[in-house]
Structure formats: structure tokens, C-alpha cells
Amino acid sequence: MIELLPPPSIVPLDHILPDEPLLMMGAGPVPIPQKVAAANSIVINHLGETMSRVIEQVKDMGRYVFQTESSHVMAVSGPGSAAMEMAVANLVTPGSRVLCITNGYFSQRMAEMVRRVRGEPTILEAHHNEGADVALVERALQQGQFDVVTLVQGETSNTVCNKNLNQIAKLAKRYGCLVIVDAVCTLSTMPLAMDSWQVDAIITGGQKGLSSIPGVSLLAFSESAWAKKIAPRKELPFHWCLDAQLADKFWNQKSYHYTAPVSGILALHEALRLVCEETLPQRFERHLRCSEALQAGIETMGLQLLIEKQHRLNSVVGIVVPDHVSADVVRAHMSKVHKVEISGAFGLNILRIGQMGEQSRAYNLFRTLHALGSSMRAAGAELDLPAGMAEMERVLSGEG
Ligand SMILES: *Cc1c(COP(=O)(O)O)cnc(C)c1O
């Protein structure tokens, strides 16, 4: 008998998890519908007839949310960043010249991934707290011979939106570039049309706009990017798991790449089905109305939003923390007293409230705005909480 190490002493999960689940109103993960949670508890064979039917529907629904007719829609095991890395690893090859338009943390991550596959990123940083300027992008495209352009639709980190995404993508196309768009927090919350905007790769995560689970992410490659860059490639990409040609075996040829995250794909199926049932126009409208109501409530209460309206992302709302108030104290109070969780930020003195998927429901908004105002007051801020609540109600009811 070999000597084995003793088992560690472990407490059951229900001793770790709060008795009452927190309402997840931060920058993701977001609450998931019961149908998504139920699907996520099922394991089926990753190959075979049942899975095939699921896959076909996930692709069809993926085409709808991306607004593309491309046959290259696929999911990947991993976070939104894995989808990002898959897009980069298959469209950027050593020596590729890439214009990386950055507004913050996540768009910079794409530049870092370009570097790691030995591409040559040129960073074009947007003006502080603003969306990218089309004229500046055009100047950069004129000056360099770029193969690829990367940008984010909604920069979750500082809540800036690239509202000129459509023009920038078309412009990049005119200069012969492939365009990679990060739509992790925005997909299905605001308009994005892959084919008509001429985007070559769109990536998203499960846990934000789609209101699915984290860990299974969806992406699409355009037909032309596939034909130009992926199908004729001579060198194998660096990453085996992220190889789009290998992934295509599973997603389009009913064969094996790696064991697909079946439960997560079933969850994604349900999340996408709920998007299709709601329809995109209605979903965009719901997100817009809820986010604008929340923003109006926050401002009327006496707090400031970080980003000017012209550049502001609606999917995640960034709130300036007043002087002499601690963001950590506010968040802790919200979680402990109101069972509502929101996010801090990466190095910025803001709080962030998500408006993605299930977060954009009136019943969640009232609880969240009340929790925010009440916790801000407890942390020393002077606010008119009732005025904020009344304003949000007014906007939500369409009187705004
Ligand atoms: C959350 C997010 C990511 C990263 O997603 P992970 O699932 O954490 O890897 C990338 N881009 C944007 C815009 C995001 O909001």
C-alpha cells in the first residue's frame, strides 16, 4: 500500500455560497433564464444525431444574432477571450500588419494577442473616453499597409461605445483589411450587422449580452475571410484547440475536434432561442429603454456618468464615484444589505452596472437603483434617491 496524502478538509458549497443568491448586475456574468440553467445541467453525447440537430440550430440562430449568412459560425470552449484568440490566431499570421484600434482594456487585449501570434500591431488609441474617430482611422489606414483591423464595439472597461463601427469596418474594407470585432458585451443588446457592415470576424462570450453561462463562446468568420485567409493557409496556426479548420470538422462536418462542452452548448442554444423568440428589434428596444431609464435615474439622483452621451455605451453603465466615497464600501453594502452585486473597474474610480440580457428588466432595475442609492448614502454621498427612482419609473413607462 503506497502512502497517500490525506484529503483536504472541505466545506460543502452551500456553506460558501450566500443563502440568498446575489442579483448579478455587474459587468458579467449576468443572470441566466431558468431554461438556460436547466439546459446547462444536461449531458448528452457530443457526437451523433441529437447533438447534430442542436448544432444546426445553434448555427442558424448564431447567423441571426450576428446577421450573417456565413457558414462559418462556431462556438469555442472557453471565455470570450478564447473566441477573441481564435479569431486572431486564424486571421493574423506572423508578419501580418494589424491596426489595433483601442479604447481601453479589452481592445488592448486584442493587440496583445496579435503580438503573441507574431503579428505586428500598430496601436491607434482613441481620444480619452471617446469612441474611435473615423477620420483618424482613415489617416492611419492611408499611412500603413495593414492586413487586419481590430476593434471593440462596446469597451466594457470604461463604458465607451464605438458608435462609428459600421463606417470604420467599411472603411477598413476599402483599404483591403480584414476586420475583427469584439462584441462580447454588446451582441444582441444593440445593432450589429456582420454582412452588411462587412465584418470578417465577430466574437462574443456567453455571459454577457446573450445571458448564457460563461465558458462557451460564439464566433463567426465571414465567407470571404475564410476563403482568403483560412482555407488557403500554408502554415498551421499556433493553437491546436483554436484552429478554425479543425473546429470546422465539428461545426460543419459532424466529426470530432475536441469533446465539445455539450452542456454549455445546450445552454447557449436556449439563450439564443430566447433571443430569436424575442426578436432582435424588440431586444434592442428593451435594452435601450432600460439602460436609458437607469442612466436617467442615476443622474437625477445626483450622480455623474463617466462618459458623454455621444460616446456612451448602453450595455454597461459607468458611474463616477463621488469624492470622499469609497467604491468598495458601496459595493460591499450593496451585496451585504441588498443582495445586489455590481462591478468596480480596472483602475478607474467608477462603478459599473450592466444592462445585458436579463439585467435589462424593470424589476431588476428598481432593486438595483434603490440598492445603489441607499448604499451610496450609507457610504456618505448626498443623494436624492426618491427623485432618481421616480425619474427611472417615468422613463421606463414611456413618459420620458
Ligand atoms: C468581458 C469582455 C471580454 C472578455 O471576456 P471573457 O469571457 O472574460 O474572456 C472581452 N471583450 C469585452 C468587450 C468584454 O466585455
Side-chain angles (χ1 to χ4, degrees), residues 301-378:
M301 203 181 267
L303 293 166
Q304 235 188 332
L305 300 176
L306 179 68
I307 304 298
E308 294 295 328
K309 187 147 178 91
Q310 191 190 349
H311 302 285
R312 189 182 300 156
L313 178 63
N314 287 325
S315 319
V316 183
V317 177
I319 306 152
V320 177
V321 179
D323 289 343
H324 316 299
V325 170
S326 153
D328 289 345
V329 169
V330 174
R331 289 183 62 225
H333 191 273
M334 285 180 78
S335 300
K336 183 154 172 274
V337 177
H338 301 283
K339 312 288 179 199
V340 175
E341 185 144 292
I342 66 168
S343 300
F346 307 91
L348 300 170
N349 194 25
I350 59 170
L351 288 166
R352 294 177 302 157
I353 299 182
Q355 278 303 283
M356 300 177 282
E358 292 308 298
Q359 293 176 323
S360 289
R361 302 283 182 197
Y363 46 82
N364 289 332
L365 287 182
F366 284 109
R367 186 168 150 196
T368 302
L369 188 64
H370 172 262
L372 174 72
S374 154
S375 302
M376 278 272 181
R377 280 210 300 223

Side-chain angles (χ1 to χ4, degrees), residues 9 18 46 56 65 72 104 112 121 137 147 149 154 161 163 165 169 191 205 211 274 302 321 323 341 353 355 368-369:
S9 92
H46 65 115
E56 286 310 310
V65 296
H72 305 290
E112 171 64 19
V137 173
D147 305 301
V149 170
C161 185
K163 295 193 182 176
L165 173 59
S211 261
L274 293 170
V321 179
D323 289 343
E341 185 144 292
I353 299 182
Q355 278 303 283
T368 302
L369 188 64

Side-chain angles (χ1 to χ4, degrees), residues 79-81 84 106 109 152 154 156 182 184-185 207-208:
S81 302
M84 193 189 273
F106 289 113
R109 184 177 291 177
V152 67
T156 318
D182 172 351
V184 174
C185 80
Q207 77 275 21
K208 300 197 186 167

Side-chain angles (χ1 to χ4, degrees), residues 53-85:
R53 289 185 63 187
V54 172
I55 291 301
E56 286 310 310
Q57 299 210 113
V58 166
K59 287 190 297 184
D60 280 343
M61 295 187 289
R63 279 185 273 274
Y64 175 65
V65 296
F66 289 127
Q67 288 291 294
T68 181
E69 291 179 348
S70 172
S71 51
H72 305 290
V73 172
M74 45 187 66
V76 55
S77 278
S81 302
M84 193 189 273
E85 200 144 43

Side-chain angles (χ1 to χ4, degrees), residues 131-134 151 161-169 197 311:
D133 181 321
V134 181
L151 76 165
C161 185
N162 278 317
K163 295 193 182 176
N164 295 326
L165 173 59
N166 179 6
Q167 292 99 296
I168 291 172
W197 295 8
H311 302 285

Side-chain angles (χ1 to χ4, degrees), residues 289-303 362 365-374 377 382-397:
R289 183 165 29 87
C290 284
S291 185
E292 288 191 340
L294 175 66
Q295 292 169 33
I298 290 168
E299 291 189 309
T300 302
M301 203 181 267
L303 293 166
L365 287 182
F366 284 109
R367 186 168 150 196
T368 302
L369 188 64
H370 172 262
L372 174 72
S374 154
R377 280 210 300 223
E382 276 186 38
L383 298 176
D384 190 345
L385 173 52
M389 298 297 284
E391 179 62 11
M392 188 166 78
E393 160 68 15
R394 200 180 66 80
V395 178
L396 271 177
S397 64

